[in-house]
Amino acid sequence: MSIADFFLITQAIFLVYFILLHGSYFSLNVLSIISIWNYMQERSISGLPNTYTGLEIPVSIIAPAYNEEATITNSIKALLNLNYPDFEVIVVNDGSSDSTMQVLINEFDLIIFPEAYLSGLPTQKIRQVYISKKFPSLRVLDKDNGGKADALNAGINVSRFSLFCAVDADSIIQTNSLEKIVQPFLEEPTTVAVGGTVRIANGCSVRNGFLVKAGLPTNLLALFQVAEYLRGFLFGRLGWSPLNALLIISGAFGVFHKETVVSVGGYLTNTIGEDMELIARLHRLLRARNVPYKISFVPDPICWTEAPEDLKTLRNQRIRWQRGLSESLAKNISLLFGKNSGAVGWLAMPFMLVFEWFGPIIELLGITLVIIGYYAGYLSAEVTIIFFTVAIGFGVLLSVVAVLLEEMSFHIYPKLRYIFILLLVAILENFGYRQLNSVWRLIATYQWAMGHKASWGEMKRSASWTEQE
Amino acid sequence: MTGTESILAYTTNSEDVVQIAIFSIGMVVGLIIIIFFQIVILRIILIIRNRRYEKFINLWRPIIMESLAVPIDNAPKLKPRHAKYFMLEWNSLYDKLGRGSQGNLVQFASSIGINKYASYLLIARQPKDRITGIITLGHLRITGLWDILKAIAENETLVLSLASFRALLHIDSVRALGELFPLIIKRDDWPISMVAKILKEVENTSICSYLVSSALENDGADLSRVIQLMDVLQCASFGKVFSQLLAKEQSSQVISLCMQALRDPQYLSMVKDYATHQDAGVRISVASALGRLGTKQDIELLISLLLDDDWWVRYRAAQSLSKFPFVDKTQFLEIEQRIDNQNTKDIMQQVLAEWDIL
């Protein structure tokens, strides 16, 4: 085969890949637009009395914390003030090396509590359990460091209610979010997990741990992530949910049926993407057991999280996500095209594998080959320009549709100026940022394939939201 | 060139493919521009709506608030474009007020003809408008559209049907229960907590008699739903249901729910019969029920439950003992001393700590 043939064949492969990729995205977009329209129509007005009956399902909120001394007080106060009739908050101090534990003891008047918990899931040693004298619904577990998954498992062991909500201790949850995210469990008793939307808190105004005004960050990297999160949550997840094929529920905010999670073994501690792995395993094992179940996504309950504003932290985060994806897919690969795998095994899993996991390889390979092909004279300037324009054009289209979905639904960003900024960012992120992400993801895939040790890395906090008095 | 090569050459470098690619680019750019303008137009519409709403609120909120206290004779004419805003504002205030203080509000809304606008909304295209109309009609207690509302309650999707059911209960709770009670039992897509909210709001004592009949007549109802509703509504007649239901063989779930709902100590002996039931869920409910209804004589039974195989039974039994008026901390500690099982001792220490804090 000549070099020219090679270029011809690879171009044909890219063409097919490209059509499949954008065909899939287009289908997801259509599903998302329908879902969000229905959701907004039926859920924007409550036709019910605004009271509680005692039949609401109580929830244990589990917040793993590692070196969160600066933000933990406000975060926990906010959790304790959520609008929900019956819940407890369990903070798991996962062997922090800073003064997180001391801050908690001082701020919440913690005293040692002789918890006789059920140790259903194996975890690192629990040093002590505390309870707050000020807020008896708050308990704090002080344990040896074992990672986020281990901390969540410890929290599950001491939780008292049938549903648990996994949140990041540094996230900001809207006051009514818990009420909304529990709704699918009431409406569909087979529901085992529900995820909510996560948005970027950088540039927002926060008071006492609650978000009071949404805004956009001034940092370009954080701005790119705003557009990215809109895309990821508003059509990435919303599209899969009606098919019961959702493969990711963010570790920052998700509610789970405890007994089901324990029955599949809880969070895996030897993976870095424990949130996605758990969902994939729930699908795999519940399908294998022939148990009817539903895993849903609700676009409305919103959790705000701080996005990295420097390249190093962002790089670490993206490498971690891609490694998490690789591990989750590898560990649950039997779900793929399984006899009883349904939409998740026949659509979502192949999509994740081909477009999310393998995507960076194809994308970067495509760019490299087109450039080489052009300079070596195998591709005309016309074809080269068309290749780049189509690739970037479709990327822009996807981001712009995500902004449209936001505008059709929640209008989180109040000013017209913000919409223009978002649209501009939706275009700009396709010139360099997306490709940079692909490079990081490729590195992550390589590291995973080579068996390099994964680590969480350090999250550099910039307190990039405005704390109001 | 071979066949394959010529196909490849065609699909990658031919004029036709280039044309298609250029056409795609045109489409994509066109779509982006359309969506861009759509977003801007949506935002402009939103801004106009918000301004209109602000104007409405500035004018009408004081009037609506005033109508609570005194009849308003000189209210301005409600513009049709303000009708939906009025309904939203008025419904929200109505729901915040207690029963008995909504009369003036209803009279005022009727006087400005809001029922006409609410009726139009029943056939609106958008579900959220229909919901607004349905809620308003219920609050206004308009009887003329009963059959339409009933059809919505029977046939429509969850949110619309529940809003309609609620409206019918507002309009005439006796008639609504007579005609629609079977829906409460049959529509298993209606979450029990939402149904309970609606029924609790009505405060009609006849609901309990319907629930009792349904539970005892074995009409195919989901007994779990019926018992939970009786529990929420605190039906005084539950004891009768309890004894008759448990006289027959029932599922563990039904037995547990019966135990949770029971508030009448005269059936205590029946509760105790289930202390050795094979299902841990039932034994947990027994341990809790004993804490609510038990007497001094039941201390020994609770102590035996402290040694149950199931952790939650042991924990509930310890909690029940701690809530017993006949057991003080010293006695509780004495019981703890008598127990050999370390895990139970730990549980009792935990309950003791909770005793001090909670």
Side-chain angles (χ1 to χ4, degrees), chain B residues 226-276:
Chain B
V226 177
I227 296 163
Q228 279 177 291
L229 287 174
M230 291 183 92
D231 187 13
V232 171
L233 300 171
Q234 303 202 345
C235 295
S237 42
F238 181 71
K240 188 176 137 197
V241 174
F242 178 84
S243 59
Q244 293 197 31
L245 278 184
L246 294 191
K248 299 176 210 158
E249 198 174 326
Q250 299 292 354
S251 70
S252 298
Q253 192 195 11
V254 168
I255 300 169
S256 295
L257 289 170
C258 280
M259 300 287 164
Q260 284 163 30
L262 186 68
R263 283 178 186 82
D264 189 345
Q266 70 165 303
Y267 300 101
L268 186 63
S269 61
M270 285 183 80
V271 172
K272 291 195 256 183
D273 290 344
Y274 288 91
T276 52

Side-chain angles (χ1 to χ4, degrees), chain A residues 177-241:
Chain A
S177 292
L178 198 54
E179 202 169 11
K180 289 184 175 174
I181 202 169
V182 170
Q183 210 59 31
F185 289 96
L186 297 171
E187 292 175 17
E188 175 54 67
T190 59
T191 303
V192 296
V194 179
T197 301
V198 178
R199 301 226 182 178
I200 302 293
N202 306 41
C204 298
S205 302
V206 175
R207 187 187 295 146
N208 297 327
F210 284 114
L211 189 126
V212 286
K213 203 168 123 201
L216 287 176
T218 46
N219 177 286
L220 195 60
L221 272 184
L223 263 175
F224 287 148
Q225 290 170 79
V226 173
E228 225 180 354
Y229 272 59
L230 275 182
R231 215 173 42 224
F233 282 91
L234 282 185
F235 80 75
R237 300 194 188 172
L238 197 56
W240 290 118
S241 182

Side-chain angles (χ1 to χ4, degrees), chain A residues 47-153:
Chain A
L48 298 177
N50 205 8
T51 51
Y52 296 119
T53 60
L55 288 179
E56 295 77 18
I57 312 173
V59 180
S60 301
I61 300 174
I62 305 173
Y66 179 73
N67 291 352
E68 308 276 358
E69 61 179 9
T71 54
I72 193 83
T73 305
N74 274 348
S75 302
I76 303 308
K77 277 184 185 165
L79 289 179
L80 288 165
N81 281 303
L82 289 176
N83 279 346
Y84 197 72
D86 197 2
F87 68 96
E88 61 175 358
V89 177
I90 300 162
V91 180
V92 187
N93 176 45
D94 190 33
S96 296
S97 54
D98 67 356
S99 58
T100 301
M101 195 60 229
Q102 201 50 49
V103 169
L104 285 167
I105 290 172
N106 296 342
E107 284 291 333
F108 297 98
D109 212 354
L110 299 182
I111 51 167
I112 290 173
F113 183 68
E115 180 89 40
Y117 61 89
L118 259 172
S119 44
L121 299 166
T123 67
Q124 292 293 320
K125 189 185 162 208
I126 295 187
R127 301 165 186 162
Q128 199 62 265
V129 180
Y130 297 85
I131 194 165
S132 166
K133 276 164 82 179
K134 275 191 205 165
F135 307 96
S137 59
L138 169 67
R139 276 175 298 154
V140 176
L141 264 70
D142 186 22
K143 66 179 278 290
D144 288 349
N145 182 267
K148 189 178 171 187
D150 192 67
L152 284 166
N153 285 340

Side-chain angles (χ1 to χ4, degrees), chain A residues 247 280 283-284 287 332-338 341 344-345 349:
Chain A
L247 267 171
H283 277 295
R284 178 168 61 83
R287 284 192 172 274
N332 297 286
I333 199 71
S334 60
L335 191 61
L336 187 71
F337 302 130
S341 291
V344 67
M349 194 88 167

Side-chain angles (χ1 to χ4, degrees), chain A residues 128-339:
Chain A
Q128 199 62 265
V129 180
Y130 297 85
I131 194 165
S132 166
K133 276 164 82 179
K134 275 191 205 165
F135 307 96
S137 59
L138 169 67
R139 276 175 298 154
V140 176
L141 264 70
D142 186 22
K143 66 179 278 290
D144 288 349
N145 182 267
K148 189 178 171 187
D150 192 67
L152 284 166
N153 285 340
I156 293 170
N157 282 343
V158 303
S159 65
R160 294 183 183 168
F161 299 135
S162 59
L163 296 183
F164 75 88
C165 174
V167 296
D168 280 351
D170 58 340
S171 296
I172 300 161
I173 295 179
Q174 285 190 188
T175 45
N176 57 355
S177 292
L178 198 54
E179 202 169 11
K180 289 184 175 174
I181 202 169
V182 170
Q183 210 59 31
F185 289 96
L186 297 171
E187 292 175 17
E188 175 54 67
T190 59
T191 303
V192 296
V194 179
T197 301
V198 178
R199 301 226 182 178
I200 302 293
N202 306 41
C204 298
S205 302
V206 175
R207 187 187 295 146
N208 297 327
F210 284 114
L211 189 126
V212 286
K213 203 168 123 201
L216 287 176
T218 46
N219 177 286
L220 195 60
L221 272 184
L223 263 175
F224 287 148
Q225 290 170 79
V226 173
E228 225 180 354
Y229 272 59
L230 275 182
R231 215 173 42 224
F233 282 91
L234 282 185
F235 80 75
R237 300 194 188 172
L238 197 56
W240 290 118
S241 182
L243 303 173
N244 198 22
L246 191 65
L247 267 171
I248 307 177
I249 283 181
S250 168
F253 188 40
V255 175
F256 300 84
H257 185 250
K258 184 170 81 176
E259 207 181 300
T260 310
V261 170
V262 172
S263 79
V264 301
Y267 286 93
L268 265 199
T269 51
N270 61 355
T271 172
I272 201 152
E274 74 293 325
D275 44 4
M276 184 187 171
E277 197 286 326
L278 174 65
I279 303 302
R281 186 152 35 93
L282 280 169
H283 277 295
R284 178 168 61 83
L285 295 179
L286 295 178
R287 284 192 172 274
R289 292 172 195 171
N290 260 324
V291 176
Y293 73 97
K294 184 101 179 80
I295 294 176
S296 304
F297 175 76
V298 190
D300 203 356
I302 289 170
C303 164
W304 299 82
T305 190
E306 189 179 354
E309 291 195 343
D310 63 290
L311 278 174
K312 191 184 164 203
T313 315
L314 184 66
R315 176 184 182 272
N316 285 342
Q317 186 194 56
R318 296 311 154 100
I319 287 181
R320 197 174 69 233
W321 286 2
Q322 183 71 7
R323 289 201 62 159
L325 175 71
S326 309
E327 288 170 1
S328 304
L329 293 176
K331 285 180 196 294
N332 297 286
I333 199 71
S334 60
L335 191 61
L336 187 71
F337 302 130
K339 204 173 76 183

